[in-house]
């Protein structure tokens, strides 16, 4: 089954940072979960931890942002 998992850190409208996770099957709409963090550094640390966890489960990194 072709699947994807996308991680992105974005600022929100309230001065905080959010880790946006999107996952699903390639070619169909996925699910999205947004988790707020008080600072960009904490959101990036959470992104890196999740990227490592997902690589262990068989996902492959396609960008050089976190890899």
């Amino acid at each position: 089954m072709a699947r994807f998992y996308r991680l992105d850190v974005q600022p929100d409208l309230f001065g905080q940072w959010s880790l946006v996770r999107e996952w699903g099957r390639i070619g169909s709409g996925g699910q999205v979960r947004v988790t707020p963090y008080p600072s960009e550094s904490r959101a990036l640390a959470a992104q890196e931890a999740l990227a490592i966890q997902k690589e262990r489960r068989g996902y492959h990194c396609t960008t050089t942002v976190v890899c």
Side-chain angles (χ1 to χ4, degrees):
M1 172 177 28
R3 57 195 172 142
F4 72 94
Y5 202 96
R6 180 177 301 138
L7 299 170
D8 191 23
V9 173
Q10 301 174 354
D12 65 11
L13 297 174
F14 305 108
Q16 294 185 333
W17 289 83
S18 296
L19 174 59
V20 180
R21 299 186 282 174
E22 182 180 0
W23 66 93
R25 293 181 68 179
I26 294 176
S28 66
Q31 295 184 1
V32 177
R33 177 173 291 164
V34 179
T35 307
Y37 288 91
S39 67
E40 182 181 16
S41 60
R42 286 190 180 181
L44 289 171
Q47 179 186 28
E48 185 175 349
L50 276 170
I52 291 170
Q53 180 184 15
K54 294 304 173 183
E55 285 178 354
R56 286 184 188 150
R57 295 199 46 115
Y59 289 91
H60 299 284
C61 186
T62 59
T63 64
T64 58
V65 176
V66 178
C67 300

